[in-house]
Amino acid sequence: MSELTSIRDVFDIPDQIRKGDFVIVPARDITKPRETAESYVVTPGLVDAFRKALGLIGSALRDGRSQAAYLHGSFGSGKSHFMVMLSLLLAGNEHAWRIPELHEQRKDYPYDGTKKLLDLKCHIIGQESSEAEIFS
């Protein structure tokens, strides 16, 4: 008779999970590019969203004009994670570009890691005001 395999033998299951365990804090998580990139799951919709965001930034760089865009989604939908990953891609971070679904796009954005961009990494939730956090 063979021994049964426990689910804990197959998956790493934590003893407890807190609400904050899945919160991405840009100022903190941008400093952990490997962990951030390895935990990111890229869906077909995200591939398209990154293509659009990188394309918009590329056109702004080509035209020498600022561009604005809105990132919208409900609480917990991954907006902060998306922005951290976008920052890593723009910085030319190898961990972010190694994600197979994103790697094939790299050739289309030769400016990654080569252009100076103002990249504000801050988390406004819980701050006195957005100005106080940005200018601190």
Side-chain angles (χ1 to χ4, degrees), residues 2 13 36 52 61 87 102 110 114-115 135:
S2 66
I13 301 173
T36 301
K52 287 177 182 174
L61 290 170
S87 291
L102 299 176
T114 63
K115 297 290 183 178
F135 296 117

Side-chain angles (χ1 to χ4, degrees), residues 116-128:
K116 287 187 178 186
L117 302 170
L118 177 59
D119 188 8
L120 297 174
K121 297 169 183 78
C122 52
H123 195 70
I124 305 298
I125 295 175
Q127 302 303 320
E128 181 181 317

Side-chain angles (χ1 to χ4, degrees), residues 16-124:
Q16 65 175 237
I17 298 174
R18 297 171 305 275
K19 189 188 322 185
D21 289 345
F22 301 104
V23 173
I24 293 294
V25 178
R28 178 194 68 208
D29 293 309
I30 197 78
T31 64
K32 301 185 300 183
R34 181 178 179 183
E35 294 87 348
T36 301
E38 287 177 355
S39 70
Y40 200 63
V41 177
V42 181
T43 64
L46 285 170
V47 170
D48 188 49
F50 280 113
R51 183 174 288 116
K52 287 177 182 174
L54 291 165
L56 178 68
I57 294 164
S59 70
L61 290 170
R62 276 190 307 279
D63 299 343
R65 296 182 57 202
S66 294
Q67 297 285 333
Y70 289 96
L71 178 61
H72 60 88
S74 60
F75 180 80
S77 63
K79 299 177 298 294
S80 292
H81 212 154
F82 178 84
M83 291 306 296
V84 168
M85 287 299 298
L86 182 60
S87 291
L88 291 172
L89 293 171
L90 290 170
N93 182 275
E94 292 302 319
H95 297 292
W97 280 114
R98 265 191 220 126
I99 296 172
E101 296 86 354
L102 299 176
H103 184 73
E104 65 187 43
Q105 291 188 39
R106 190 170 198 178
K107 67 185 178 322
D108 299 329
Y109 308 104
Y111 54 82
D112 75 300
T114 63
K115 297 290 183 178
K116 287 187 178 186
L117 302 170
L118 177 59
D119 188 8
L120 297 174
K121 297 169 183 78
C122 52
H123 195 70
I124 305 298

